Amino acid sequence: IPEDAELGTFANMALITLRTDWTPPGCSQSFPSGSLLSAPMDDVIKEDWARVTALFQPTPSKSLQDRTETKDFCILKVLEDVRTVLEFWEFKNGAWEKQESGEGAVGVGEDVSLDCMCRDHAESNDLWVTRQGYLIPD
């Protein structure tokens, strides 16, 4: 794992946020700076990257702003074309599954914040959702 990467955990998985481009040893795929990767912690310890999953990869118009975790979900706050979009990943049966989150993004000039309601995010899927913005004069 690159020295400048941010390492976190979710269940038995490692979550790795890259700050530099990286090609894991023995892996044919390269991941750009700003990617969020997940791999089983046992595999990370063994430096086996065969089961690495990219939960997010940036593009010229898309960047990861934040993430919130609950008991079964990792919710990504993504800035896409200057609008906030939420991406929901469910951890089910030991694997990540991206959930459909609807069509709309948060309106231009508005933002949304997500926080787990419990002290221990591993206990519940309940969220606090806060939406804020400014008024645009006509």
Side-chain angles (χ1 to χ4, degrees):
I1 299 174
E3 286 185 26
D4 62 349
E6 180 182 315
L7 181 64
T9 60
F10 187 103
N12 65 334
M13 306 296 279
L15 295 177
I16 305 160
T17 304
L18 298 178
R19 293 201 174 118
T20 53
D21 296 350
W22 184 50
T23 303
C27 186
S28 60
Q29 187 173 1
S30 201
F31 299 99
S33 169
S35 294
L36 175 62
L37 309 178
S38 178
M41 190 60 80
D42 290 342
D43 290 359
V44 172
I45 292 168
K46 296 174 192 169
E47 295 190 28
D48 176 7
W49 299 101
R51 296 190 295 168
V52 67
T53 301
L55 300 181
F56 178 81
Q57 291 189 65
T59 68
S61 62
K62 193 173 175 179
S63 63
L64 181 61
Q65 296 299 300
D66 198 8
R67 79 172 189 250
T68 301
E69 298 160 8
T70 66
K71 180 181 175 188
D72 301 307
F73 291 89
C74 183
I75 303 111
L76 308 181
K77 180 179 168 183
V78 176
L79 189 62
E80 183 173 13
D81 294 323
V82 196
R83 294 182 71 179
T84 300
V85 177
L86 300 177
E87 295 183 4
F88 294 81
W89 286 87
E90 184 176 11
F91 189 69
K92 185 167 41 173
N93 300 322
W96 291 105
E97 183 177 310
K98 189 171 183 181
Q99 303 297 305
E100 293 300 320
S101 59
E103 290 286 325
V106 177
V108 173
E110 295 182 11
D111 193 18
V112 65
S113 298
L114 299 173
D115 291 301
C116 186
M117 290 178 64
C118 296
R119 290 169 72 102
D120 181 2
H121 69 267
E123 290 184 17
S124 172
N125 286 320
D126 294 337
L127 287 172
W128 286 108
V129 179
T130 308
R131 191 170 181 168
Q132 60 266 353
Y134 58 88
L135 297 176
I136 302 171
D138 46 1

